[in-house]
Amino acid sequence: MTPRERVLTALSRRVPDCVPKTMSLCPSQLERFRQETSAEDPASYFGFEVRDVHPLPARPSGDLTPYRRGYPEGARVDEWGVGWAKGSEYHFERILHPLAGARSVQEIARYPLPDLAAEERFAGFAAAVTSLHEQGLAVVAHCTPLGGTVFWPAYKLRGMEALMMDMMTTPELAEALLDRVTEVSSRLAARLASFDIDVLWLADDFGTQRALMMRPALWRSWFKPRLQQVIDAARSARAGLLVAFHSDGKIDEIIPDLIDIGVDVLNPLQPEVTNIAAIKREYGGHLAFWGGVGTQTTLPFGSPTDVRQAVRELILAVGAGGGLLVAPTHLVEPEVPWENILALVQAVEDYGWYELG
């Protein structure tokens, strides 16, 4: 199989020749990779089967100056008007919310959101997709403005506490903001789906280490229909497109809802918060899985032997019958030993083959 065929087969819940794999490195780990290998690109070096393709940066659609008041000197401001102030640890940043002070639906309605489906953003996009396909690789496009699809963009504009308070006390404000963000993401999803991508990636973190951030009924009221709108927009442009959904944390209670709205692939399948073998048994007939190697436990704090054993057990439990792409459950952060990165990749190579025919 080509790498692309392998990914499409696995994510369609069928059995490929072997288990596909990927990972993303934080800036310090990327520098370490370059020092250790004298190579530039981890995906090419390790033989990852998937690549991301991104549109060009968006431009603000209006004057964001009034919303930047109070931002500290040196903070960068993105096309949404969200500020990012450098934090004290590694690559982490503090978020500055431009709609934190909004008090009316009118204030939210006139806030200048960017047009993420603007034609100028997609110059060269089709050619990039074609080039990767000619190399035999699978292509993922992200409908994740500000890191998420509906919840994340809204709370980064408003503030998480403020948004969740709005949902309970001034629902008209939450509705106005979430509806505007959903419309932006829906247009972007439809535009991305109009290209020959292989996977459309959606994301919103709804889980804590123990449970959802909100009652399941509240999630179903506020977020399920809006995510459904985004997926429907994509599928109206391209029926049958594979849709992946990312949420950190324990979200077991809404997995049936994600299936219901058309999600095909669930990420990241954190072993620290959920029984991943049980998830596979219960939902493997409807979902493929992407992830599974714990970045809170085994990868940073285990030995290479521990990493190899975790990968082997993951493949046996979740890769059985197909439906698995092995990856760390998060960006590989600075504390992960280089030897464990190598152990993960080698373990997939050693244990990920299927007996076909």
Side-chain angles (χ1 to χ4, degrees):
M1 285 184 171
T2 67
R4 183 188 183 197
E5 290 170 340
R6 183 175 303 134
V7 170
L8 291 175
T9 300
L11 298 187
S12 298
R13 306 188 309 280
R14 293 178 285 115
V15 179
D17 58 343
C18 61
V19 178
K21 61 188 177 300
T22 192
M23 73 173 71
S24 297
L25 305 179
C26 75
S28 64
Q29 288 286 13
L30 183 57
E31 181 59 31
R32 175 73 183 273
F33 163 82
R34 289 167 176 161
Q35 292 173 356
E36 294 285 349
T37 67
S38 299
E40 282 296 313
D41 178 28
S44 298
Y45 182 85
F46 289 124
F48 300 155
E49 292 93 339
V50 295
R51 298 292 190 278
D52 296 338
V53 174
H54 301 281
L56 297 171
R59 292 185 295 183
S61 61
D63 183 13
L64 294 167
T65 305
Y67 302 95
R68 300 177 183 177
R69 295 188 183 120
Y71 286 10
E73 185 177 352
R76 65 181 181 92
V77 181
D78 63 26
E79 65 272 16
W80 291 71
V82 174
W84 302 85
K86 184 172 176 56
S88 59
E89 297 291 334
Y90 298 110
H91 51 280
F92 300 109
E93 295 176 295
R94 180 166 57 92
I95 305 173
L96 309 166
H97 313 289
L99 282 173
R103 296 292 180 266
S104 70
V105 170
Q106 291 73 26
E107 288 180 86
I108 291 172
R110 64 174 175 258
Y111 185 82
L113 297 182
D115 179 8
L116 300 186
E119 189 62 32
E120 63 266 19
R121 297 192 68 217
F122 293 89
F125 192 91
V129 173
T130 298
S131 175
L132 290 169
H133 282 168
E134 288 174 348
Q135 297 171 58
L137 299 167
V139 175
V140 179
H142 293 249
C143 185
T144 55
L146 290 175
T149 302
V150 175
F151 181 43
W152 274 41
Y155 90 66
K156 287 177 180 177
L157 288 164
R158 178 75 167 140
M160 184 182 289
E161 182 177 348
L163 175 62
M164 296 181 83
M165 287 293 292
D166 289 344
M167 289 161 56
M168 303 305 296
T169 61
T170 49
E172 66 276 9
L173 296 184
E175 183 175 347
L177 180 55
L178 289 168
D179 282 350
R180 291 199 68 199
V181 167
T182 300
E183 183 57 34
V184 170
S185 287
S186 295
R187 290 198 304 270
L188 174 59
R191 189 72 182 97
L192 292 169
S194 71
F195 295 93
D196 190 25
I197 62 172
D198 297 305
V199 181
L200 181 69
W201 189 277
L202 311 183
D204 276 319
D205 284 350
F206 291 114
T208 70
Q209 290 293 101
R210 296 186 295 178
L212 286 174
M213 293 182 183
M214 61 198 76
R215 297 190 306 275
L218 197 64
W219 181 89
R220 293 182 183 113
S221 173
W222 283 100
F223 295 104
K224 182 177 180 179
R226 291 178 169 90
L227 289 168
Q228 176 83 75
Q229 181 180 327
V230 176
I231 294 173
D232 287 350
R235 294 253 167 83
S236 69
R238 177 132 159 254
L241 176 65
L242 284 170
V243 174
F245 183 79
H246 163 91
S247 174
D248 287 340
K250 187 173 177 61
I251 61 165
D252 302 35
E253 292 168 292
I254 62 169
I255 290 177
D257 298 281
L258 295 173
I259 295 169
D260 186 49
I261 63 175
V263 170
D264 302 295
V265 183
L266 186 63
N267 168 271
L269 206 64
Q270 289 175 259
E272 296 88 356
V273 302
T274 194
N275 183 329
I276 58 178
I279 294 295
K280 167 72 174 190
R281 286 194 300 270
E282 188 162 1
Y283 302 114
H286 302 280
L287 288 173
F289 303 97
W290 179 314
V293 182
T295 56
Q296 294 174 297
T297 50
T298 307
L299 204 55
F301 304 120
S303 66
T305 299
D306 295 329
V307 172
R308 288 177 57 82
Q309 181 64 22
V311 171
R312 181 177 182 275
E313 291 174 358
L314 173 67
I315 291 172
L316 289 172
V318 183
L324 173 66
L325 190 153
V326 171
T329 56
H330 196 272
L331 189 71
V332 177
E333 298 287 6
E335 63 269 20
V336 175
W338 171 247
E339 294 74 17
N340 285 3
I341 294 173
L342 296 179
L344 188 158
V345 174
Q346 189 60 51
V348 180
E349 294 287 341
D350 291 344
Y351 303 128
W353 292 89
Y354 293 94
E355 295 291 336
L356 300 181

